[in-house]
Amino acid sequence: MLKTPDMLLLFCLVGAANALYKQWIPDTNYENKTNWDKGAVPCGNDIVQFSAQRQVSVFVETTHAVQEMRMPVDGEFILNSGAGFYVLAGQEPGCGQGVTTKFKDSDSLQWFNPALWQAAATVDDLQHGNFLFSVHEESVPCQYDEVVFKALSSFRVDTSSSQSSIPVKSVSVQGKKFDSKSEFSQYLSSRSGRLQFHGSSAVTVGNPGCGDPSGCECGNSVNHQRICSSVTCASMNCKMPLLPIGHCCEVCGAIITIHYAPGFNLQSYRQRIHHLFLVQPKYKSIQLGMSKVVKSQRLMGIIPFSPSPEIQVAILDGEKGKKSEALASEIVKDARSHGSNLGITGAEFQASTGSSSNQSGGNAGMVVGIVFGVFIMITLIVIVVVLIRRGIRNGDIGELGGPLDHGFENPMFDKPNMLSDIPGLSGTETNNSISMTQTGVYFVNPVFDENETDFNA
């Protein structure tokens, strides 16, 4: 992870009213010694070699002497004013006997590698090295960010992803800002554009800025696996490492969750945290990233239901989380004391030391869960009462307290008034319903005429 030695704070605001500036770090400049396999810029006695099968766009800032140059099949030199090459007639003093120096391959540099980007609130901060910290997903340009490739420089970046396009607000190349889709498409189709951008996905500009004062989602969660594939996580020695949303690795520190109402402004809150806490010398080593995230709420802490946007404040200190816990406690205390003026309805934190804070009176998710739970219980009680009352109204109560089951009605025996209409079934004729034969005693069915049967006993 990138750090600046004299940085007073590392802070990230993703989705604020003003977009962040994300600057691509690598370049393909001739004068950059890290681009050469010998770790030094070739001198006049050296043979300069570019891979014949690789495409490359190289920016040359000044004039250079070479002994020999082997060019690629497809490539270009972007020459600054007065820059160029020449061959020495003799040996260049102080250059040594001369070696073959190879330009490194830049095809493997991925757009979605978070280590290859720097973030700042303004272009001036980019130039002065006032970089910001953010979780891995948001280290890569978000859909509302302005992308900057350094002026007087060239580059080569692989934009491959699972999506057909990578939307951003704008892209600046060679000091020229592109925020029009048609104009940037023309640049991508140019020779320089094809050499600088390659891969399966196309970078598109013109995405509108975030218009929500409470912030907007970064939009890089869909590429989370691709982003994390280039990240190597270090082992943590704190008691309970935490995993912030959007980050690839567990960290030692603290995570604050802020619940907000319609009056909350993320930009203003960022400034408040900076002026109240981050300027303090004791928090100089703190890395703090703030972003809007969406969490799935859970009814009674178990059943997931509609997702809810929240503000996540990830605090890292690299010292088992003790300083992070102290800062998180102060921030939560401030949020609870002045939340009504800030548009904050509640705040809570969890620290890697094992400590946490229970939010009092403002946890919207908990309140919603309790309300839904009570509503479901009341509904069940009402349904049971209605069913019981219907049972009492529709019949007698049986031995066990339920309605008495009468079975089905027999039209011959359940209604005595119907028996008088059938001869032999009432009065003195009832004795004829019992007959004795040689085979035994049997009861005569009053509705069955034995003379009609084919079988005679």
Side-chain angles (χ1 to χ4, degrees), residues 279-338:
V279 295
Q280 300 181 32
K282 63 180 179 179
Y283 295 133
K284 182 179 180 179
S285 62
I286 286 291
Q287 295 177 310
L288 189 150
M290 183 182 295
S291 56
K292 175 182 277 190
V293 298
V294 175
K295 286 185 180 178
S296 178
Q297 299 298 310
R298 293 187 176 273
L299 179 61
M300 307 298 289
I302 301 175
I303 306 173
F305 61 100
S306 61
S308 173
E310 300 172 347
I311 303 301
Q312 173 183 265
V313 182
I315 307 174
L316 288 67
D317 62 24
E319 299 178 5
K320 298 186 178 182
K322 293 183 179 180
K323 289 185 179 180
S324 297
E325 179 185 348
L327 176 57
S329 180
E330 289 191 53
I331 292 176
V332 168
K333 182 179 179 181
D334 174 71
R336 292 178 178 178
S337 300
H338 305 280

Side-chain angles (χ1 to χ4, degrees), residues 237-243 250-253 350-355:
N237 57 1
C238 46
K239 179 179 180 181
M240 188 183 297
L242 304 174
L243 182 62
E250 292 184 328
V251 298
C252 293
Q350 183 178 5
S352 59
T353 58
S355 300

Side-chain angles (χ1 to χ4, degrees), residues 154-361:
S154 191
F155 57 92
R156 184 164 173 81
V157 54
D158 184 354
T159 60
S160 297
S161 73
S162 56
Q163 280 67 47
S164 60
S165 64
I166 303 173
V168 294
K169 186 177 181 181
S170 68
V171 173
S172 297
V173 180
Q174 290 289 321
K176 179 177 176 55
K177 182 177 179 179
F178 295 94
D179 52 16
S180 168
K181 291 184 179 180
S182 59
E183 189 177 8
F184 188 59
S185 295
Q186 291 178 3
Y187 180 78
L188 291 178
S189 62
S190 68
R191 181 172 182 80
S192 293
R194 291 195 307 269
L195 292 173
Q196 292 168 346
F197 296 90
H198 71 104
S200 61
S201 302
V203 179
T204 59
V205 302
N207 208 47
C210 176
D212 187 349
S214 66
C216 298
E217 288 186 83
C218 175
N220 279 337
S221 58
V222 68
N223 288 299
H224 181 80
Q225 294 300 326
R226 185 178 293 272
I227 291 171
C228 292
S229 65
S230 59
V231 176
T232 301
C233 298
S235 59
M236 296 289 102
N237 57 1
C238 46
K239 179 179 180 181
M240 188 183 297
L242 304 174
L243 182 62
I245 295 176
H247 210 54
C248 300
C249 306
E250 292 184 328
V251 298
C252 293
I255 299 175
I256 303 174
T257 299
I258 295 177
H259 310 278
Y260 62 91
F264 178 74
N265 187 295
L266 190 56
Q267 174 71 14
S268 299
Y269 189 63
R270 170 212 178 189
Q271 295 173 350
R272 178 182 181 86
I273 296 299
H274 167 54
H275 291 302
L276 287 181
F277 305 109
L278 296 179
V279 295
Q280 300 181 32
K282 63 180 179 179
Y283 295 133
K284 182 179 180 179
S285 62
I286 286 291
Q287 295 177 310
L288 189 150
M290 183 182 295
S291 56
K292 175 182 277 190
V293 298
V294 175
K295 286 185 180 178
S296 178
Q297 299 298 310
R298 293 187 176 273
L299 179 61
M300 307 298 289
I302 301 175
I303 306 173
F305 61 100
S306 61
S308 173
E310 300 172 347
I311 303 301
Q312 173 183 265
V313 182
I315 307 174
L316 288 67
D317 62 24
E319 299 178 5
K320 298 186 178 182
K322 293 183 179 180
K323 289 185 179 180
S324 297
E325 179 185 348
L327 176 57
S329 180
E330 289 191 53
I331 292 176
V332 168
K333 182 179 179 181
D334 174 71
R336 292 178 178 178
S337 300
H338 305 280
S340 58
N341 298 324
L342 301 172
I344 295 176
T345 59
E348 54 194 359
F349 79 86
Q350 183 178 5
S352 59
T353 58
S355 300
S356 63
S357 66
N358 293 321
Q359 184 180 2
S360 59

